[in-house]
């Protein structure tokens, strides 16, 4: 369609991001991008962060926001919930230009576990039930590899966030945790080490999933194409136009953004479908 009042030239551009760290940190990190989009589009731009993935999806579906930035599984869920009513515009590239990232299983470095097989009858903590790398991907791929999480581990739980999951392994509440990795230098573990939350070298990886497409910027399919293109161009130019702001947002561990289409997320949609079916059977 041609837009209408929900997306007129003067209307505010409302962005929501799903929250993998604390609220203040995330809003501060995204502030340079908000300013950049506002400047490029010539329209007031607001940014909010929701404490759960479901809240961000619902805000887009119910037209409270225009664009969301979520993980791949949240995009897949949104696509399923809206019967294909959403689409991705862009996704993040890591510092080597990769669009993929991985789920990893980590343990304390001083633990005896070297492979997932060693964790039989032990405990594992996941980040959040809607997290791609923190739950949906690891349970899917571990299941395929013969480690169904509900029977293989003696206990599993949710940390509430990627950081909390890893902290609970560091504190020996759980034996293993699932979290994310883009490259050797860009993982939840290196980020937490950099923040001083865990000592350097205290946590190590023992398993890695196949590649997953990185987090997309998502709009509704009825979002005007003129807006989509303008937003795409704004985000694509962010790294070049404001290298300092981009470095703040990416913590120097991303090289920019790339256009992406729905097809890239088909494997994630398969995983999410299976995950939702398994939940219904419980």
């Amino acid at each position: 369609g041609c837009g209408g009042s929900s997306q007129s030239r003067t209307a505010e551009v409302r962005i929501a991001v799903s929250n993998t760290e604390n609220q203040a940190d995330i809003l501060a990190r995204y502030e340079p991008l908000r300013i950049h989009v506002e400047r490029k589009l010539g329209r007031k731009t607001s940014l909010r962060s929701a404490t759960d993935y479901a809240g961000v999806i619902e805000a887009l579906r119910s037209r409270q926001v225009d664009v969301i930035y979520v993980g791949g599984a949240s995009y897949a869920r949104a696509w399923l919930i809206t019967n294909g009513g959403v689409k991705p515009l862009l996704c993040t590239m890591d510092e080597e230009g990769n669009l993929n990232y991985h789920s990893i299983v980590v343990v304390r470095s001083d633990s005896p576990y070297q492979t997932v097989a060693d964790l039989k009858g032990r405990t594992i903590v996941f980040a959040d039930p809607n997290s791609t790398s923190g739950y949906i991907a690891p349970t899917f791929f571990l299941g395929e590899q013969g480690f169904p999480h509900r029977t293989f581990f003696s206990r599993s739980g949710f940390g509430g966030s990627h950081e909390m999951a890893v902290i609970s392994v560091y504190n020996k509440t759980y034996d293993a945790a699932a979290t994310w990795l883009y490259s050797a230098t860009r993982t939840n573990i290196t980020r937490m080490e950099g923040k001083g939350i865990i000592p350097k070298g205290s946590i190590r990886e023992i398993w890695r999933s196949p590649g997953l497409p990185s987090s997309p910027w998502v709009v509704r399919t009825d979002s005007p194409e003129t807006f989509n293109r303008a937003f795409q161009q704004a985000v694509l130019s962010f790294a070049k136009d404001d290298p300092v702001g981009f470095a703040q947002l990416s913590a120097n561990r991303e090289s920019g953004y790339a256009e992406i289409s729905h097809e890239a997320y088909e494997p994630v949609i398969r995983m999410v479908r299976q995950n939702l079916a398994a939940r219904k059977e419980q």
Side-chain angles (χ1 to χ4, degrees), residues 145-184:
Q145 292 169 19
F147 308 114
H149 73 284
R150 291 194 172 87
T151 52
F152 181 75
F153 302 100
S154 61
R155 178 168 63 94
S156 68
F158 292 104
S161 73
H162 284 270
E163 289 190 350
M164 289 309 299
V166 172
I167 287 167
S168 65
V169 168
Y170 180 70
N171 289 339
K172 302 188 177 180
T173 313
Y174 286 91
D175 297 306
T179 189
W180 56 266
L181 170 144
Y182 273 84
S183 67

Side-chain angles (χ1 to χ4, degrees), residues 6 59-61 63 65-66 85-87 218-223:
S6 71
L60 183 69
R61 199 178 67 83
R63 300 175 184 273
V65 298
D66 307 301
V86 296
K87 64 179 182 181
V218 180
V219 292
R220 288 183 302 278
T221 46
D222 65 6
S223 176

Side-chain angles (χ1 to χ4, degrees), residues 65-99:
V65 298
D66 307 301
V67 191
I68 61 173
Y69 180 67
V70 288
S74 292
Y75 167 70
R77 283 178 66 90
W79 189 85
L80 290 165
I81 290 163
T82 61
N83 296 311
V86 296
K87 64 179 182 181
L89 295 179
L90 302 134
C91 75
T92 313
M93 290 190 292
D94 74 6
E95 68 272 50
E96 285 104 39
N98 298 315
L99 303 182

Side-chain angles (χ1 to χ4, degrees), residues 27-46:
L27 292 174
R29 278 208 302 125
Y30 278 86
E31 182 61 9
L33 180 64
R34 185 198 68 74
I35 293 166
H36 177 76
V37 170
E38 186 167 89
R39 216 175 271 150
K40 283 284 186 189
L41 270 53
R43 289 162 52 178
K44 179 169 161 45
T45 300
S46 64

